Amino acid sequence: MAAPEQFEGFMIHDTKNWDNFTKEKFTPKVFEDYDVDIENECCGVCGSDVHTITGGWGELATAPICVGHEIIGKVLRVGSQVKEFKAGDRVGVGAQVQSCMKCPQCKSNNENYCLNMVDTYGAPYNLGGGNPNKDAGGPMKDKSGKQIFAQGGYSSHSRVHEQFVFKIPNNITSHEAGPMMCAGLTVYSPLKRANTGPGKKVAILGIGGLGHFGVIWARAMGAEVWALSHTPSKEAEAKKLGAHHFVSAGEKDWFKPLAFTFDFILNAADMTHEFNLQDYMSTLAVNGEFHNVGLPDKPLPQMMAQDFAGNGCKIAGSHIGSKKEAMEMLKLASEKDLHPMIETIDISEEGCSKAVRKVKNNDVRYRVTLTGFHKAFGTGSK
């Protein structure tokens, strides 16, 4: 079954009216040899969606724009060079839909760092992008000559390069799998690359949408896990998610008993600009790492080079994860029967508005998934 010529999505037109969604049609990218067409079933709501539509990360790259990059759906058709998927497969898509597939990054399971990556929404397409056997052509344009930009998952369908499509294990529900596609992978990748496991002491800073996944994964990977939060009321939930210890980081001198404790701090907070980072860095073991996965609108606090000298610590960051890591994450969740904490809201103009406002106001425990796509778009089995 082929996807329609035009897809339909809930879109915004400008950052001043960031929560005013309207259902509109848009032209997807040209269907090419490595593409997978997906009929969307649900989509998680990510903080990135809110940063984008509010203008926190800058002006919109294209308007109107359809956000959403935690997509779960069913494969409708595949391109001539696609070998991994077939019609009917239940799959997921995260925050990236294409890369060049030729550079050293793409050839080393680091395609999430490709210079020519295409984000799931707001990024321009080039003809032939993602073909490992030839160079990309010029800008991909629609029938009216306008540049085609990627549009996201608050939509009826998605068209994605096979490298960025992930098969979902049968025992993971779609509404739980959705947030794993961005939030889950964004924290799994740095934890894996830090060799998180038995004998490691890992702190998760910020127990929200990203951080709650961090606690789940770090515990499942075998580490001793601390939850660091400025919200003492989250202690019970943090421990239920898997934290061995809870520290209220808003208390005076909270960091002093923890000097030289952590091998790795995963910073999932969105308010890092308000933190005294020196306090957090002091809790790292020698050569420990403070790793940022939250991407706030505002700059990090100013620090001195001397702040890193006392324990030889370092500060770092990362961008989502690779397909290899996505499949490892899904295998871990499937085999250990791991479940994030998810709220669901049926997709509609009002539903999208409610969902992004809840995320912006930090009124979520701990992720939101938009559901009811088949009813909203008239898709699904006929």
Side-chain angles (χ1 to χ4, degrees), residues 10 12 18-22 45-46 50 53 154 343-364 367-370:
F10 290 94
I12 67 137
W18 59 270
D19 61 349
N20 183 17
F21 289 83
T22 55
V45 178
C46 186
V50 174
I53 61 179
Y154 298 4
E343 300 178 21
T344 60
I345 297 173
D346 282 342
I347 194 168
S348 65
E349 292 172 351
E350 295 78 14
C352 290
S353 179
K354 178 181 178 181
V356 297
R357 280 187 276 109
K358 281 176 70 70
V359 171
K360 188 175 190 301
N361 294 331
N362 197 27
D363 181 27
V364 177
R367 301 292 286 193
V368 173
T369 300
L370 292 166

Side-chain angles (χ1 to χ4, degrees), residues 106 219 268 273 283 317 370 381:
C106 288
R219 176 63 183 261
H273 59 281
T283 67
L370 292 166
S381 55

Side-chain angles (χ1 to χ4, degrees), residues 216-236:
I216 293 170
W217 298 153
R219 176 63 183 261
M221 295 163 87
E224 186 174 357
V225 183
W226 276 257
L228 308 183
S229 176
H230 287 74
T231 309
S233 62
K234 289 185 178 179
E235 179 172 1

Side-chain angles (χ1 to χ4, degrees), residues 279-355:
D279 294 349
Y280 294 91
M281 306 299 272
S282 74
T283 67
L284 287 166
V286 173
N287 297 141
E289 180 176 328
F290 183 94
H291 191 100
N292 295 284
V293 288
L295 301 175
D297 294 346
K298 297 184 179 180
L300 294 175
Q302 186 173 0
M303 297 184 71
M304 298 287 287
Q306 291 91 324
D307 296 328
F308 300 89
N311 52 1
C313 65
K314 52 187 175 287
I315 190 167
S318 54
H319 178 252
I320 47 177
S322 68
K323 181 164 190 165
K324 181 175 183 288
E325 290 162 339
M327 300 316 297
E328 290 173 357
M329 173 194 70
L330 289 167
K331 184 172 185 284
L332 181 72
S334 175
E335 291 182 349
K336 297 208 171 187
D337 194 28
L338 304 176
H339 298 275
M341 293 179 65
I342 308 295
E343 300 178 21
T344 60
I345 297 173
D346 282 342
I347 194 168
S348 65
E349 292 172 351
E350 295 78 14
C352 290
S353 179
K354 178 181 178 181

Side-chain angles (χ1 to χ4, degrees), residues 35-44 46 68-75 85 89-98 118-121 125 150-155 157-168 174 177-183 185 320-321 323 326-327 329-330:
D35 285 337
V36 178
D37 272 358
I38 301 164
E39 182 182 80
N40 298 338
E41 175 189 348
C42 63
C43 184
C46 186
H69 57 206
E70 297 183 336
I71 305 161
I72 304 296
K74 180 180 71 174
V75 173
F85 305 101
D89 287 345
R90 187 169 64 114
V91 297
V93 176
Q96 186 177 355
V97 291
Q98 193 180 89
V118 176
D119 295 328
T120 303
Y121 55 80
Y125 280 109
Q151 298 286 2
Y154 298 4
S155 59
H157 300 80
S158 296
R159 180 167 290 161
V160 182
H161 190 286
E162 66 168 339
Q163 182 68 18
F164 303 95
V165 179
F166 316 133
K167 194 165 184 180
I168 306 299
S174 293
M180 294 182 190
M181 298 299 97
C182 179
L185 181 57
I320 47 177
K323 181 164 190 165
M327 300 316 297
M329 173 194 70
L330 289 167

Side-chain angles (χ1 to χ4, degrees), residues 47 51 183 186-187 190-191 203-215 228 234 264-272 275 280 290-296 316 362 367:
H51 287 298
T186 293
V187 299
L191 287 169
I204 309 299
L205 171 55
I207 311 305
L210 290 171
H212 101 288
F213 270 115
V215 172
L228 308 183
K234 289 185 178 179
F264 190 76
I265 298 176
L266 185 78
N267 178 25
D270 204 32
M271 300 296 288
T272 309
F275 295 171
Y280 294 91
F290 183 94
H291 191 100
N292 295 284
V293 288
L295 301 175
N362 197 27
R367 301 292 286 193

